[in-house]
Amino acid sequence: MLIKPPNNIPSSEITPRSVYVRRREILRLLGLTASAFIAGPRRMASAATTHGAKLTVTSRMVTTPDSPTPFDAVTGFNNFYEFGEDKEDPAQNSGPFKPSPWSVTIDGECAKPGTYTLEDILKPHSLQERVYRMRCVEGWSMVVPWVGFPLGDLLKRFQPNGNAKFIAFTSVIRPEEMVGQRRRFPAILPWPYVEGLRMDEATHPLTILAVGIYGETLPNQNGAPLRLVVPWKYGFKGIKSIVKISFVRKQPTTTWSREWPEAYGFYSNVNPNVTHPRYSQSTERRIGDFFRRPTLMFNGYADQVASMYTGMDLRRFY
Ligand SMILES: Nc1nc2c(c(=O)[nH]1)N[C@H]1C(S)=C(S)[C@@H](COP(=O)(O)O)O[C@H]1N2
Ligand SMILES: [Mo]
């Protein structure tokens, strides 16, 4: 059971999340940025990530002329609150997590619901490399060479019916292996982490399930063994360590819109024109760069995805 503090504790006695977050922002603004961390010897030592098994990749799609963010940054600077709130926590704390064996439950509005082993989930799909720009709502961005396959190809196999309008995703709950899930009073987030996509977004050819980065199986901190990647949306839509994929009728709840609905909507499309109460969305800092660069509409993927949102007020449906 998740126990939250009663609402009548005076706010002076508890540290609101915004204060924790602000403290980290201040550190970052003081120059303790990811690039600074990664350049430092202490950081190098703690960021050393065990390499995964080599994956066989059959094709490659590069969607940006920018070079990929170095492996040590992609694996050393992460958000994965199940392993803690700070960017270096996932790399440091995810060692005890065991992504194998793994199974995924497919349920809801489809002809073939069931619980499948990861091997069964992956068997019919050939793996592709997809080099995507990624943009976190906090203002940093990366270029990541993912290895995966289109989510739409997987969804088809389970034969969704006409009621399947959205896909809901659920992450694993394993407090024994995930130190961030053991925190109480208050819990870091309500577990499990959940996300969702509209059916057309889920089946868009750019939307992939990833099993690797840099030609190797995913490190734990990046969402082993299976995570979502939707490059025109903010990073938090890319739910990690997925255990359930549900075909649903109604727009599902998502972790961050439940936490702070004014800041995080269901769509969460990268949009420099929609302001966020804490982080600027108009520019971003590519990890490894010194200067910020403008953030592009739909993270630069407008040509491929804008038509899905024709006629929608994207300030209202943020
Ligand atoms: N289960 C789970 N998935 C998650 C998160 C999380 O805390 N828990 N963080 C999200 C956020 S905020 C970001 S920016 C991306 C980061 O993915 P990366 O570490 O592979 O760059 O994962 C997303 N997926
Ligand atoms: Mo994020």
Side-chain angles (χ1 to χ4, degrees):
M1 182 175 143
L2 276 176
I3 305 161
K4 287 216 154 186
N7 290 329
N8 58 5
I9 295 181
S11 59
S12 58
E13 290 186 14
I14 57 175
T15 309
R17 182 190 311 287
S18 57
V19 175
Y20 292 122
V21 176
R22 225 177 298 132
R23 195 173 55 217
R24 290 203 302 276
E25 278 307 293
I26 290 164
L27 287 175
R28 202 164 310 136
L29 290 170
L30 285 173
L32 301 171
T33 60
S35 46
F37 276 124
I38 287 149
R42 198 184 65 87
R43 186 71 206 127
M44 281 308 276
S46 59
T49 293
T50 345
H51 285 262
K54 286 264 179 294
L55 295 167
T56 306
V57 169
T58 58
S59 67
R60 187 154 193 257
M61 178 198 289
V62 180
T63 67
T64 169
D66 304 339
S67 35
T69 302
F71 179 86
D72 284 341
V74 175
T75 61
F77 188 81
N78 308 94
N79 272 331
F80 198 165
Y81 282 59
E82 286 87 335
F83 294 115
E85 284 182 296
D86 290 324
K87 302 286 176 276
E88 55 274 29
D89 286 345
Q92 262 157 23
N93 299 339
S94 62
F97 183 68
K98 291 185 192 61
S100 171
W102 196 261
S103 56
V104 180
T105 298
I106 313 279
D107 66 8
E109 302 287 348
C110 68
K112 303 202 158 163
T115 296
Y116 300 89
T117 64
L118 184 66
E119 292 68 29
D120 285 341
I121 289 281
L122 299 183
K123 205 179 289 163
H125 302 282
S126 52
L127 297 179
Q128 310 170 6
E129 181 163 77
R130 296 282 184 101
V131 182
Y132 283 165
R133 287 178 224 112
M134 305 303 299
R135 208 274 192 198
C136 178
V137 76
E138 293 167 52
W140 43 274
S141 63
M142 298 190 183
V143 172
V144 182
W146 299 107
V147 178
F149 58 93
L151 172 64
D153 291 351
L154 176 119
L155 296 179
K156 256 198 310 247
R157 289 165 52 203
F158 302 97
Q159 301 169 11
N161 64 44
N163 294 324
K165 303 291 192 219
F166 294 88
I167 307 296
F169 303 87
T170 309
S171 287
V172 71
I173 300 192
R174 277 195 202 168
E176 334 71 67
E177 297 174 20
M178 302 178 117
V179 69
Q181 290 184 335
R182 297 201 290 269
R183 266 259 293 280
R184 294 286 188 270
F185 315 115
I188 296 179
L189 286 172
W191 310 112
Y193 194 99
V194 289
E195 258 304 339
L197 293 173
R198 212 169 60 186
M199 194 56 142
D200 59 339
E201 299 177 319
T203 55
H204 189 283
L206 284 176
T207 303
I208 58 168
L209 284 175
V211 295
I213 52 165
Y214 274 98
E216 304 171 0
T217 53
L218 281 174
N220 288 345
Q221 58 267 39
N222 293 86
L226 186 72
R227 55 89 52 87
L228 180 66
V229 177
V230 195
W232 71 95
K233 294 182 182 279
Y234 291 113
F236 60 87
K237 296 294 283 185
I239 183 171
K240 296 175 167 181
S241 306
I242 296 170
V243 293
K244 190 160 72 159
I245 299 176
S246 309
F247 295 94
V248 299
R249 295 172 184 232
K250 299 226 171 84
Q251 183 177 300
T253 310
T254 67
T255 289
W256 285 105
S257 60
R258 178 169 54 192
E259 276 296 286
W260 192 4
E262 296 76 22
Y264 303 107
F266 175 79
Y267 285 94
S268 304
N269 292 320
V270 174
N271 187 337
N273 309 312
V274 170
T275 54
H276 181 284
R278 180 179 300 139
Y279 309 108
S280 167
Q281 301 310 320
S282 57
T283 64
E284 67 200 53
R285 194 207 300 265
R286 179 67 53 77
I287 299 292
D289 284 2
F290 182 74
F291 292 108
R292 297 179 72 88
R293 61 174 75 201
T295 285
L296 304 174
M297 188 63 202
F298 295 115
N299 202 25
Y301 297 97
D303 286 354
Q304 292 100 305
V305 304
S307 64
M308 287 190 288
Y309 308 101
T310 310
M312 272 177 73
D313 177 355
L314 297 178
R315 283 171 206 269
R316 189 162 155 231
F317 298 100
Y318 53 92

